[in-house]
Amino acid sequence: EKRAAHWASQRVLDRALRQISCVELGLDSPYVTRAIASWDRTWKYIEDVLTDGRTWLMGEQFTLAEICYAPFIARIEGLKLLEIWLEGRSLAQDWWERIMQRPSFAASQVGPSKDERAIYEREGSKVARGIAERLVSIRAGRGLEMALAAFPHGSPAQGAT
């Protein structure tokens, strides 16, 4: 009842639809598939950019690029899900380690609070395997198929049956 009222009060329709889909469908939500694929593309990009030996995304200077990513990545790390995307991406892993070692990062306490950490770890452990399995399917080219499976009346791309 509280959720329905919350969603009804949302002024941004897409936000409400995304939240409803994720709560109702969990890992089977097309929004989850999209997020897994988006993070995989992001980490591939980061790994590719760093292959020329640069320290940071834009070169040798820490920039807004790192600052913008850090809070989101810190939340994923708080869920203990980051390794799913960083496996085999040593340059991206080293980049993230450099960010976490910055005194400003430590001082800002980015990521889950001390009180939230156990909750994040517990909740992340519930979905880690499913996310990893979905990432394998996405990398095998089955992301769209997975996302469309959430539609109860068939694929919109194929026409409803």
Side-chain angles (χ1 to χ4, degrees):
E1 207 172 278
K2 287 174 82 175
R3 281 187 186 153
H6 170 74
W7 290 327
S9 72
Q10 290 287 328
R11 298 180 66 145
V12 179
L13 179 61
D14 187 56
R15 181 181 301 144
L17 291 172
R18 183 178 62 244
Q19 291 172 356
I20 292 167
S21 176
C22 290
V23 168
E24 297 294 326
L25 300 175
L27 290 177
D28 292 328
S29 168
Y31 291 98
V32 172
T33 302
R34 180 180 173 201
I36 294 168
S38 293
W39 276 110
D40 197 44
R41 280 192 314 273
T42 298
W43 285 110
K44 181 184 182 323
Y45 169 78
I46 290 170
E47 183 77 11
D48 290 349
V49 163
L50 297 172
T51 58
D52 67 3
R54 65 180 73 188
T55 304
W56 304 107
L57 295 179
M58 300 304 293
E60 294 308 309
Q61 186 173 354
F62 184 83
T63 67
L64 282 174
E66 282 79 22
I67 292 169
C68 289
Y69 277 125
F72 298 105
I73 296 169
R75 292 284 173 175
I76 294 170
E77 179 156 70
L79 290 162
K80 302 299 182 200
L81 299 174
L82 195 53
E83 185 55 38
I84 293 169
W85 287 279
L86 290 182
E87 185 177 343
R89 292 178 169 147
S90 61
L91 298 174
Q93 175 68 46
D94 292 346
W95 170 82
W96 178 239
E97 293 291 333
R98 285 191 296 276
I99 291 174
M100 291 190 303
Q101 291 170 5
R102 292 182 61 84
S104 59
F105 181 86
S108 65
Q109 300 178 354
V110 177
S113 69
K114 189 181 264 188
D115 295 337
E116 294 172 320
R117 285 187 193 130
I119 297 167
Y120 269 63
E121 288 182 29
R122 183 181 67 241
E123 296 304 313
S125 71
K126 292 177 184 178
V127 297
R129 182 175 178 185
I131 290 173
E133 290 170 354
R134 281 160 177 78
L135 181 56
V136 168
S137 293
I138 289 166
R139 288 178 177 169
R142 296 190 301 273
L144 181 60
E145 174 187 328
M146 287 170 37
L148 293 176
F151 291 94
H153 302 295
S155 163
Q158 297 171 337
T161 56

